[in-house]
Structures are given as C-alpha cells and as structure tokens.
C-alpha cells in the first residue's frame, strides 16, 4: 500500500463527516428556557417555589451511579479539590497521584498545599499500578487518588484493599469514565468519594461542570459546605424570594457551585448517556479486533471491568513503527487521513510541561516543600513508555457507523505502510 499520505499532499483515505460533540436534544433547549424563565440562575439565587436544577441533577446522578449522595460542582478540578479536603487532606500531607493523567490530578493536590506523590502505572492500561502504590506509601500519605484513564478502569479490587488495610481514603477520579463499571458497580462508588468532570469534551458534559459522589453522609455534608462558601441547602423549603442556602458555621468553604444552566443541561444529557455509551462500546469492540489484526495494541483495562466508557480511544503503536517515524508525526498523519484529531497521550507528569509547581509563587512554602513537589524527582518508566507510544482518538469517532470504523482501521494500515514518507 505505497500511497502518498494526506499529510504530505495525498488524498485523504476518509472523506466522510464525523459526528460532532457535544450533542444536544430538544429536552436540552426546553430545560435552558425553563432556567431563563425561572429567574433563578444559581443555587445562591432566591428560592422560587421548586427544587433547584442543581439539586435535581445531584439526585439524578446519585441514582444513576448508585451512590448515596452527589454534590455537584463547577468543574472536575473543583470536585477533586473538594473531595481531597472533605477527606481531611491538608498542608504538607502526601497524596498518591498516577503518573499519567491530565495535569489537574496533581495541581489540585498542590492547590490545597499538599504534596502530589507521582506513582508509576500499569504498562497496559496506563492506570495506577497497585504494586507501585504500596511502595510509595509513607507515614505522611493521607489519600490515594486513582484515575480511570481513556477507556480503562483501574485495578480497583487491589487499590481498595490497600486503602482499607492502611486506613487511607481512596478517591476515584472518574472524569473520563462516566458510566463505566467494575464488578457490576459504577466507578466512583468504590472509594471514599468519586469525582467527575463535565467539561466540554467529557462523555457527560455541560461545557464546564463537575460532581462528587459518596455513600458517606458526613462526607457529603462536608462536600456541600466546601462547594458553597460554608453554606448548605436548607432542610425545609424557605419562603419565596428567601435564600435556600443556610449558614451553619460548621466549615469554611469556597465557591465551587454549578450554575442552574449547567445543571439543567446535565439532566438532559444524562438521558442520552447510556445509549451513546452502548454505541461506542460496540464500535470500540469492532475496532479493537481490526487493529489487533494489523499489529496495533488497543488500550487494555483491568480484569474486573464489566463495562467500559470510551472517553478517548487509546492505541499503543508497535515498536517497529515508532522506530520509523516520530509518534507526533504518525498522529498527525493519521489525523489527516481521517479528518479527526489524533493526539499523543498526555506526557507523564514528571515530564509534563503543564505541571510546573515552581512557576507559581503560592507554592513557595519552603525548601523542603519545593523539593518534595519537584516533578523530575520521580522515576516513572512505565508512565513515560506509555505516553511515548500511544495515540488518543476522540470518542465522537465511535458514534459513527460500522463502515466508518473500518475506515479508521484502514487509515492506521495506510499510515503504517507509508511511515517512511514522514522522515523524508
């Protein structure tokens, strides 16, 4: 298959239009109109005689995941920050953070003046390696955070055992895993808390947004205080035009509230989620088989996974292909054939240019702290290898039809066969 690559002026293999993201429905528009007409655009606005959209979404998402409680938040980063603080993490405490993740996994820990301890990952899933966690624990470890990455679910059975044996809370970062299940249960329900992001690219999105789920009522109460400047929703409905948030003076918080517009969108989007997940799973299963037959390695997941959620479709490239062309060029060539962004995976956090604690004066808390949070002090060979060999394709690709999925595999085959052109 010696053909000019589209990146270099050849004809793109795929000419079709791909599904767009985010997607909305008539229900989404009705909900937004309802918020506009309600004259209450935030939970900190005056009560209008009916439950807020934020409260409705919290109940709906708790029911969807099977969690006892859900506290919505403004972003995924805010959700993780709230969960860490609610679990008692504070200044100079250590928090286990997986070596491959979006930068917020580490920066949220820094944001509460705690120390992110970067820990290596499983080479096949890219998720936190339980064996490495045990080696990294210290008397100062106050929490373990685990990220379900791409389309993989981490090894929760072992991580839960480690956390339980040591009396350390496990916080699941499910920003990329809405609807994924392990041992038949929704991710986010295994640890002390599960955090979610509803940012633009996420599987459940309102542009920006987040949530924390938990089965612990006292933890949920702390989360509620942390997200609304130390206020919580009143136990009984107030009079019209009165505030529904009441000041308890139990715990000082911050403003991480989700707006009524975002909450209304999320309730509508939640109705679409399972159907979209099912389409992605079917297409991903088909693409897995096609790519394996061509010598590529789709991202694996832990043995206990019972349902995957494909935030990105992650593929490890074979060594001989990586020897013939740089991975960034291979991703660009694949993207040009498909008309889709095909990006390299996040750089490991010890080498990630977005993770630079020394660039923020607020983290200048003395020499010992500065040395502890210096990312290059951590050796993460598996994380570095995973990042250096994998490409991530957007989940909207998996909402296309079966013929389009075959074209994705054909594009991989074309780029691999003509990789020599990328070095000319």
């Amino acid at each position: 298959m010696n053909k000019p690559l589209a990146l270099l002026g050849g004809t793109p293999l795929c000419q079709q239009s791909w599904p767009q993201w985010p997607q909305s429905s008539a229900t989404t528009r009705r909900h937004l109109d309802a918020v506009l007409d309600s004259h209450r655009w935030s939970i900190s606005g005056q009560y209008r005689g009916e439950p807020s959209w934020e409260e409705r979404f919290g109940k709906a998402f708790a029911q969807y995941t099977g969690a006892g409680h859900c506290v919505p938040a403004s972003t995924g980063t805010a959700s993780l920050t709230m969960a860490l603080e609610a679990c008692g993490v504070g200044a100079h405490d250590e928090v286990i953070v997986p070596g491959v993740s979006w930068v917020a996994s580490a920066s949220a820990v820094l944001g509460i003046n705690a120390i992110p301890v970067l820990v290596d990952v499983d080479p096949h899933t890219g998720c936190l390696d339980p064996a490495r966690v045990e080696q990294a624990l210290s008397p100062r470890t106050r929490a373990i955070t685990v990220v379900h990455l791409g389309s993989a679910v981490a090894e929760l059975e072992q991580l839960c055992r480690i956390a339980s044996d040591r009396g350390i809370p496990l916080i699941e970062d499910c920003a990329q895993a809405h609807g994924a299940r392990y041992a038949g249960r929704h991710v986010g329900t295994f640890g002390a808390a599960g955090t979610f992001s509803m940012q633009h690219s996420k599987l459940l999105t309102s542009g920006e947004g987040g949530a924390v789920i938990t089965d612990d009522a006292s933890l949920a109460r702390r989360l509620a205080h942390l997200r609304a400047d130390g206020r919580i929703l009143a136990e009984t409905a107030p009079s019209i035009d009165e505030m529904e948030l009441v000041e308890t003076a139990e715990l000082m918080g911050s403003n991480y509230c989700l707006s009524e517009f975002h909450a209304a969108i999320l309730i509508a989007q939640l109705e679409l989620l399972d159907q979209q997940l099912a389409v992605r799973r079917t297409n991903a299963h088909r693409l897995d088989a096609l790519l394996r037959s061509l010598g590529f390695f789709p991202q694996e997941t832990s043995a206990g996974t019972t349902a995957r959620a494909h935030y990105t479709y992650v593929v490890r490239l074979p060594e001989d292909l990586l020897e013939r062309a740089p991975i960034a060029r291979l991703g660009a060539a694949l993207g040009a054939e498909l008309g889709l962004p095909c990006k390299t995976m996040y750089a490991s956090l010890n080498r990630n240019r977005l993770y630079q604690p020394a660039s923020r004066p607020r983290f200048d808390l003395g020499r010992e702290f500065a040395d502890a949070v210096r990312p290059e002090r951590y050796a993460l060979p598996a994380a570095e290898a995973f990042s250096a060999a994998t490409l991530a394709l957007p989940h909207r690709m998996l909402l296309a039809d079966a013929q389009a999925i075959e074209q994705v595999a054909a594009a991989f085959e074309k780029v691999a066969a003509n990789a020599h052109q990328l070095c000319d």
Side-chain angles (χ1 to χ4, degrees), residues 222-238:
R222 291 197 296 276
L223 288 163
H225 281 87
L226 287 165
R227 72 83 152 74
D229 286 317
R231 302 167 294 172
I232 61 171
L233 290 171
E235 293 183 3
T236 58

Side-chain angles (χ1 to χ4, degrees), residues 94 115-119 136 138 140 349-351 355 357 367-381 384:
E94 292 182 355
I115 298 169
V117 176
L118 307 183
V119 174
S138 83
R140 295 172 65 177
L349 283 171
N350 62 333
R351 297 183 179 275
Y355 181 49
R367 182 174 298 176
E368 181 182 355
F369 187 88
D371 182 63
V373 301
R374 190 167 49 85
E376 57 270 21
R377 69 179 293 214
Y378 295 98
L380 305 171
E384 291 180 28

Side-chain angles (χ1 to χ4, degrees), residues 162-377:
I162 293 168
S164 177
D165 288 349
R166 301 297 184 97
I168 299 170
L170 176 69
I171 298 173
E172 293 179 72
D173 184 336
C174 311
Q176 303 182 10
H178 309 72
R181 293 176 179 82
Y182 183 94
R185 286 168 51 190
H186 278 268
V187 298
T189 63
F190 289 83
T195 69
F196 292 81
S197 168
M198 282 72 170
Q199 176 267 345
H200 173 92
S201 66
K202 299 305 190 292
L203 298 170
L204 179 67
T205 179
S206 53
E208 291 289 356
V212 187
I213 60 174
T214 182
D215 285 333
D216 186 328
S218 62
L219 187 66
R221 188 174 178 87
R222 291 197 296 276
L223 288 163
H225 281 87
L226 287 165
R227 72 83 152 74
D229 286 317
R231 302 167 294 172
I232 61 171
L233 290 171
E235 293 183 3
T236 58
S239 301
I240 300 298
D241 279 342
E242 294 296 324
M243 291 288 291
E244 194 173 7
L245 290 171
V246 295
E247 300 175 9
T248 68
E250 290 179 26
L251 177 66
M252 188 177 79
S254 301
N255 183 4
Y256 296 135
C257 293
L258 184 71
S259 84
E260 291 291 88
F261 295 102
H262 292 89
I265 291 172
L266 287 171
I267 292 173
Q269 298 301 91
L270 189 57
E271 295 176 358
L272 307 175
L273 180 59
D274 278 343
Q275 180 182 359
Q276 293 167 337
L277 289 173
V279 173
R280 292 190 191 98
R281 288 176 186 133
T282 297
N283 282 331
H285 182 73
R286 172 63 175 156
L287 187 54
D288 285 350
L290 291 170
L291 290 182
R292 287 193 186 102
S293 72
L294 296 171
F296 294 92
F297 305 96
Q299 182 184 24
E300 297 180 22
T301 189
S302 60
T305 305
T306 47
R308 301 178 77 164
H310 295 81
Y311 169 66
T312 49
Y313 185 86
V314 179
V315 184
R316 180 164 56 91
L317 306 187
E319 290 183 13
D320 66 312
L321 179 56
L322 293 168
E323 290 171 355
R324 285 184 280 146
I327 190 166
R329 288 282 280 172
L330 291 165
L334 184 63
E337 297 297 336
L338 292 172
L340 283 169
C342 302
K343 304 295 186 181
T344 54
M345 184 45 100
Y346 311 127
S348 58
L349 283 171
N350 62 333
R351 297 183 179 275
N352 193 311
R353 59 199 300 265
L354 295 180
Y355 181 49
Q356 299 184 43
S359 68
R360 299 279 294 278
R362 67 177 292 187
F363 303 132
D364 186 8
L365 301 175
R367 182 174 298 176
E368 181 182 355
F369 187 88
D371 182 63
V373 301
R374 190 167 49 85
E376 57 270 21
R377 69 179 293 214

